[in-house]
Amino acid sequence: MVIGVLALQGAFVEHQKVLEKLGCETFTIRNKDDLNRAMDGLVLPGGESTTMYGLLKELHMEDEIKNLINGGLPTFGTCAGLLLLANEIQNYDSAFLQTMDITAIKNAYGKQLGSFVTRADFGGKKDIPFVFIRAPYIERVGKNVEVLSVVDGKIVAARQGNQLVTAFHPELTDDFSVHSYFLGMINQ
Ligand code: GLN
């Protein structure tokens, strides 16, 4: 299986390492041409969503990446990647790619002190580690969105068809449940 990992900014290497441990081939996506390579899945990593989106626009990658996602390419967004996909960001004056019917809150746990580690359930998997770094959470989900994780009453993982998002960073732990789930989506 070949997975393209958006590598304009942020924590992309960590995703590549996990995916390669799970037997995938990965490549980095740094420009528009890289989007033409054959891939079975796409990862939008954590980082800073405003910066990442600014780079997507500057490099004329926005329409192409949006078309790939809307065309059904399995896509996994973590943290800033979640914000890139959200239809709406409640505490921000604009949204980014807007491919997923969720409303997110940016820096929902506070900008500086909002980083923490906890354990919770993901889908059917019990008690896996969740690392939050200046994370968003999901305030609202559309009717086609399945909620996969809730922490303190807040939605922190969800799926809509080919799109999977987590507010936390599974690539920073040695539990590969979330990445395995994503590969399962590709195989479906
Ligand atoms: N706070 C970042 C943003 O608004 C997301 C943080 C992260 O990806 N770890 O994009």
Side-chain angles (χ1 to χ4, degrees):
M1 215 179 281
V2 181
I3 312 289
V5 181
L6 186 67
L8 302 179
Q9 193 258 343
F12 52 89
V13 179
E14 292 80 358
H15 278 289
Q16 290 185 281
K17 283 186 182 155
V18 174
L19 291 163
E20 283 166 15
K21 278 184 191 158
L22 291 171
C24 299
E25 193 184 309
T26 69
F27 68 93
T28 52
I29 298 171
R30 297 179 189 272
N31 56 49
K32 207 174 167 186
D33 285 346
D34 292 334
L35 289 170
N36 294 326
R37 286 181 63 171
M39 59 182 127
D40 302 300
L42 167 69
V43 170
L44 307 178
E48 214 295 314
S49 51
T50 306
T51 309
M52 226 184 279
Y53 183 65
L55 289 166
L56 280 175
K57 281 180 61 160
E58 207 176 295
L59 296 164
H60 308 290
M61 295 166 74
E62 185 195 3
D63 290 344
E64 185 68 25
I65 212 162
K66 218 175 142 155
N67 288 341
L68 286 169
I69 299 166
N70 284 331
L73 179 68
T75 301
F76 176 20
T78 53
C79 204
L82 176 156
L83 289 161
L84 285 181
L85 298 176
N87 263 356
E88 195 182 4
I89 303 175
Q90 200 182 77
N91 58 342
Y92 198 62
D93 50 12
S94 59
F96 306 119
L97 298 173
Q98 296 183 289
T99 55
M100 187 167 176
D101 190 12
I102 57 174
T103 302
I105 300 191
K106 196 168 156 69
N107 298 317
Y109 299 92
K111 258 192 184 158
Q112 300 303 330
L113 300 171
S115 302
F116 60 98
V117 182
T118 187
R119 299 184 75 89
D121 300 346
F122 171 83
K125 279 285 248 178
K126 298 273 174 227
D127 197 42
I128 68 166
F130 286 13
V131 177
F132 290 87
I133 304 171
R134 295 185 298 281
Y137 61 67
I138 300 170
E139 178 69 16
R140 177 202 64 86
V141 294
K143 62 176 184 330
N144 295 324
V145 178
E146 181 189 357
V147 172
L148 295 169
S149 300
V150 175
V151 170
D152 293 334
K154 311 296 186 200
I155 301 166
V156 294
R159 173 180 179 180
Q160 175 187 310
N162 61 312
Q163 300 176 71
L164 170 68
V165 292
T166 63
F168 52 92
H169 289 267
E171 77 284 8
L172 300 182
T173 72
D174 54 13
D175 185 303
F176 301 158
S177 307
V178 181
H179 287 83
S180 300
Y181 178 93
F182 178 55
L183 300 184
M185 281 170 56
I186 297 175
N187 281 325
Q188 258 171 19

